[in-house]
Amino acid sequence: MVTAGFKLRGILAFCAASCRNTRHKRLTILAFSIHKTRSHIPAVGAPQPINEVTTVANASNPEPTRRDFLYIATGAVATVGAAFAAWPFIDQMNPSSAVLAMASIEVDISAIQPGQQVIFKWRGHPLFVRRRTAKEIAEARAASVSALVDGLARNANLTDSAPASDENRVIKPEWLVLVGVCTHLGCTPTVSTPQSPQGSFGGWLCHCHGSEYDTAGRIRKGPAPQNLAVPPYSFTDSTKIKIG
Amino acid sequence: MAGHSTYVPATGLTRWLDKRLPIIRLVNDSFVTFPAPRNLNFWYTFGGILAFMLGIQILTGIVLAMHYVPNSDLAFSSVEQRIMREVNYGWLIRYIHANGASMFFLAVYIHMFRGLYYGSYKAPRELLWILGVFIYLLMVATAFFGYVLPWGQMSFWGATVITSLFSAIDQIIPHLGTAITTWLWGDFAVGDATLNRFFSLHYLMPFVIAGVVGLHIWALHVPGNNNPLGIDPKGPQDMVPFHPYYTVKDLFYLVLFLIFYMAFVFYAPNFFGNPDNYIQANPLVTPPDIVPEWYLLPFYAMLRSVPQKLLGVMVMGGALATLLFIPWLDSSKVRSCRFRPLMKQLFWIFAADCVLLGYCGSQTADAAWNIAGVDLPLVWVARLATLYYFAFFWVLMPWIGKIERTTPLPESIAQSVLNKGRA
């Protein structure tokens, strides 16, 4: 404790010295000088010239005074206090508990036909559930992972470092479940179908800035940096999935 | 502010007031006897027009806030049903406000290009220019918040795209960008919480702008106005008092500006709007083409011209941040382009470049020009235009100032006026 106290006093005195531009050679004696300055306090009934007693360190009186210590201590407490006071005002902007409570949904996927995509709403975002055809699965599996723009699976059900193979993008190969938010600037990509192809990879095309995704929702071309995210989900039975 | 105060209170009441709160003196010294160069032209009237537009936007905005409901279920109908159909003159006040934003930006762009042409950013007016850039950035933020409020499709998706710019930070520090966007939204997507806070901020920002405008005028009145010749006034023969010379001139052009403005309000109120914003916000369907308001199109074109997310955001931010450095990028000793034959040409190319960027931004992402049977993708046009934008400020401005042979400056403002503008 003695050492700690000594260090703290030394640091404070160093701050005082730095603030007032005193010379470095004084640093060695600064730790003691705070005590020393107490002798400046006038005895009752023995008034001294005010500027000698109450001023902070300056050119003519370079020793840090009790006032320097008070300035720095007050400033430090005020800064920490301001940071604590600011936090509620910053944190109130984050999602409220009502928003967090809506974070999980369960959907019935039994009516979705092969080749069809249905959009649900999850956490305010579109959620794509696409029942892939055998051809679409084969196309996704044919792509070489090393050639992808984003080599990571971006699957919340797997570890962060899982590679972006098609197997890592799905739980059941037929069902592709994705957050329908383009990883560029948040638009909803348009699904590609044989009747209305979107982009050249058979998956999705984002019309806002031209990002193209394949049939596993992986980014293949355009400004988007990442594959479409796979949300945390699980099959509660063969026709129902729970997301979130 | 600059110079000695000549105000003499004439009555007992004004003498009493002047000793306690010299507010009449301040107004008198700033806007009545304030000496201004006698050669200020039409382009110098936009400062006053801008102050007027800020007043119009605050006044109409306060009225609209009395009827608007910042709730994602009710916002759209509170604008399209209540304000546009039910509130007495609600349609008029809303169209004045919505078109007012466009007029505000039109005026600020003319004001900025004027400053650029006559070298008004050069010493000793660097801070004046920088405060102006801050006002412009605050205007962009205010306009963005305001555009979200009607909660149409373009409101919603514009808000999504612009706030998602922050997610680019993920590419530097993983997850931080996403955390920031979630924090901005108050949700996992743009939603009710976002709308509420944008309304709150949209109401706040104009008053912040008004504060910075106060600093801007203060910083103007210390060195005084620049002028089309870009030379310093040499004495009283070069100056006229602000009132009546410039109060009348400002008012005259303000009236012309108002006629132009009201022509849109009454005869083409949706000219600057996007039809998609008459569709209520739908988080599940992105409109086929998202475009910002016209005044942000050049920056949008820059963002889109870069095929990499983080770089695109940095280029767009850099284009705005560049404006702050102009006072130190221009190496010329001569302020006004009137005497800078090379810079004058580069300036007009730059102005055309900004318009071209705006055009590129208004087109779809895959648009192309067909020139003699060859397709020139607009994204490449935008890339070249972006290159010129940056080259103009960071290469040409420092370089041209060193090699350019400027034409002779007139002896004084008065001399130039007597020679009818000839040097």
Side-chain angles (χ1 to χ4, degrees):
Chain A
M1 275 311 291
V2 175
T3 329
F6 177 81
K7 269 188 186 160
L8 177 65
R9 238 177 274 133
I11 290 163
L12 289 171
F14 171 72
C15 295
S18 313
C19 291
R20 312 269 165 232
N21 278 331
T22 51
R23 271 158 276 153
H24 281 281
K25 65 175 183 182
R26 299 196 178 279
L27 288 178
T28 47
I29 56 163
L30 284 175
F32 306 99
S33 57
I34 291 166
H35 283 302
K36 219 168 96 181
T37 52
R38 289 190 175 191
S39 60
H40 287 296
I41 299 169
V44 179
Q48 294 194 1
I50 278 176
N51 56 356
E52 270 188 27
V53 180
T54 58
T55 50
V56 296
N58 55 36
S60 60
N61 179 24
E63 297 295 313
T65 65
R66 236 167 83 81
R67 179 143 302 196
D68 285 318
F69 175 81
L70 285 172
Y71 274 164
I72 290 158
T74 309
V77 173
T79 306
V80 174
F84 274 91
W87 178 245
F89 291 88
I90 295 167
D91 193 40
Q92 54 82 22
M93 298 263 287
N94 275 318
S96 67
S97 40
V99 170
L100 294 172
M102 303 277 284
S104 178
I105 58 165
E106 188 173 67
V107 296
D108 186 350
I109 55 172
S110 56
I112 304 174
Q113 300 301 310
Q116 190 188 14
Q117 167 185 277
V118 170
I119 301 179
F120 299 95
K121 192 175 170 186
W122 177 66
R123 292 188 179 179
H125 288 304
L127 180 92
F128 295 162
V129 180
R130 180 163 172 171
R131 189 169 177 182
R132 298 191 294 178
T133 61
K135 181 170 169 283
E136 286 167 350
I137 297 171
E139 275 171 13
R141 307 227 147 163
S144 146
V145 174
S146 57
L148 294 170
V149 177
D150 178 14
L152 296 175
R154 309 287 171 191
N155 185 339
N157 307 290
L158 302 175
T159 58
D160 280 356
S161 57
S165 63
D166 186 64
E167 290 80 358
N168 280 343
R169 299 278 296 162
V170 289
I171 293 176
K172 296 181 181 177
E174 197 178 16
W175 296 101
L176 185 59
V177 180
L178 298 169
V179 179
V181 175
C182 180
T183 57
H184 181 226
L185 293 174
C187 295
T188 304
T190 310
V191 68
S192 180
T193 61
Q195 296 78 33
S196 164
Q198 305 284 330
S200 37
F201 297 92
W204 287 266
L205 169 69
C206 184
H207 281 278
C208 290
H209 310 98
S211 293
E212 297 179 21
Y213 297 90
D214 67 11
T215 53
R218 295 173 298 199
I219 180 67
R220 301 298 285 273
K221 193 181 167 208
Q226 291 179 10
N227 302 326
L228 291 177
V230 179
Y233 73 98
S234 56
F235 283 85
T236 49
D237 64 44
S238 60
T239 61
K240 283 202 180 71
I241 53 175
K242 180 172 174 284
I243 299 116
Chain B
M1 295 185 195
H4 183 67
S5 178
T6 54
Y7 173 65
V8 183
T11 67
L13 179 67
T14 50
R15 270 193 296 278
W16 183 89
L17 186 64
D18 196 52
K19 283 215 169 92
R20 288 156 180 83
L21 179 72
I23 189 163
I24 301 177
R25 179 181 298 276
L26 179 71
V27 172
N28 179 79
D29 294 350
S30 306
F31 304 108
V32 180
T33 59
F34 182 73
R38 58 193 280 182
N39 60 338
L40 299 187
N41 59 21
F42 159 73
W43 304 106
Y44 281 78
T45 61
F46 282 90
I49 288 171
L50 283 163
F52 179 82
M53 286 312 302
L54 179 62
I56 286 277
Q57 292 303 86
I58 289 178
L59 185 73
T60 52
I62 288 171
V63 172
L64 290 171
M66 293 178 187
H67 305 286
Y68 172 77
V69 185
N71 173 295
S72 58
D73 293 329
L74 304 171
F76 187 78
S77 66
S78 80
V79 173
E80 300 304 344
Q81 177 74 25
R82 185 188 292 185
I83 292 174
M84 292 304 285
R85 289 167 182 269
E86 294 165 8
V87 174
N88 298 334
Y89 290 106
W91 58 273
L92 177 63
I93 293 161
R94 178 174 179 236
Y95 278 146
I96 292 174
H97 194 75
N99 286 283
S102 278
M103 292 301 131
F104 207 159
F105 274 96
L106 179 67
V108 87
Y109 282 134
I110 293 173
H111 193 65
M112 289 163 79
F113 275 106
R114 186 270 290 157
L116 214 51
Y117 187 81
Y118 293 127
S120 303
Y121 48 84
K122 291 173 80 70
R125 297 184 183 82
E126 303 96 323
L127 266 183
L128 174 61
W129 172 266
I130 288 170
L131 286 165
V133 175
F134 281 131
I135 293 170
Y136 170 66
L137 296 178
L138 286 167
M139 280 174 62
V140 169
T142 311
F144 164 67
F145 291 137
Y147 194 63
V148 176
L149 303 184
W151 210 240
Q153 272 290 67
M154 216 39 86
S155 300
F156 182 90
W157 290 100
T160 300
V161 168
I162 298 299
T163 48
S164 294
L165 293 176
F166 290 94
S167 67
I169 298 170
D170 275 345
Q171 288 176 278
I172 308 170
I173 304 166
H175 305 300
L176 179 65
T178 307
I180 291 175
T181 50
T182 303
W183 178 76
L184 288 171
W185 293 335
D187 203 329
F188 300 103
V190 173
D192 194 49
T194 324
L195 178 60
N196 264 282
R197 63 191 56 180
F198 280 14
F199 177 58
S200 171
L201 293 172
H202 184 66
Y203 205 116
L204 164 75
M205 300 285 264
F207 299 98
V208 179
I209 292 178
V212 186
V213 167
L215 295 178
H216 190 65
I217 295 174
W218 190 4
L220 167 69
H221 283 197
V222 174
N225 287 86
N226 184 30
N227 64 79
L229 298 174
I231 57 172
D232 290 328
K234 292 206 168 75
Q237 71 280 10
D238 290 342
M239 316 295 276
V240 287
F242 191 79
H243 178 76
Y245 293 96
Y246 289 120
T247 43
V248 169
K249 187 167 186 142
D250 281 0
L251 268 175
F252 177 78
Y253 286 109
L254 175 63
V255 169
L256 291 188
F257 186 81
L258 276 174
I259 292 171
F260 178 74
Y261 172 17
M262 288 304 137
F264 282 104
V265 170
F266 288 107
Y267 297 99
N270 289 306
F271 180 80
F272 297 108
N274 189 308
D276 273 348
N277 227 25
Y278 280 105
I279 304 167
Q280 190 164 2
N282 181 351
L284 301 187
V285 179
T286 306
D289 191 32
I290 298 180
V291 277
E293 292 278 82
W294 68 267
Y295 40 80
L296 299 177
L297 286 173
F299 299 105
Y300 187 65
M302 292 188 202
L303 170 76
R304 260 200 333 203
S305 72
V306 182
Q308 207 271 351
K309 181 175 174 178
L310 179 63
L311 271 177
V313 174
M314 283 166 67
V315 164
M316 189 173 73
L320 287 166
T322 293
L323 301 175
L324 293 168
F325 299 99
I326 293 174
W328 294 278
L329 291 174
D330 187 351
S331 60
S332 173
K333 294 214 168 23
V334 174
R335 289 198 190 105
S336 175
C337 277
R338 216 175 253 194
F339 309 103
R340 302 186 60 188
L342 259 178
M343 198 59 192
K344 185 191 277 182
Q345 293 175 38
L346 296 173
F347 169 87
W348 286 112
I349 295 172
F350 175 73
D353 185 64
C354 290
V355 174
L356 178 64
L357 274 170
Y359 170 78
C360 292
S362 72
Q363 303 298 304
T364 53
D366 52 359
W369 272 342
N370 194 300
I371 299 166
V374 184
D375 272 342
L376 177 63
L378 269 192
V379 65
W380 274 103
V381 177
R383 277 172 196 164
L384 292 173
T386 305
L387 189 69
Y388 183 76
Y389 181 99
F390 282 94
F392 177 73
F393 289 119
W394 292 97
V395 181
L396 296 176
M397 258 197 176
W399 180 52
I400 296 297
K402 290 212 165 67
I403 60 153
E404 185 176 41
R405 274 180 72 97
T406 55
T407 54
L409 293 172
E411 208 152 290
S412 72
I413 293 171
Q415 200 56 49
S416 167
V417 171
L418 293 175
N419 293 348
K420 301 222 154 78
R422 277 172 279 121

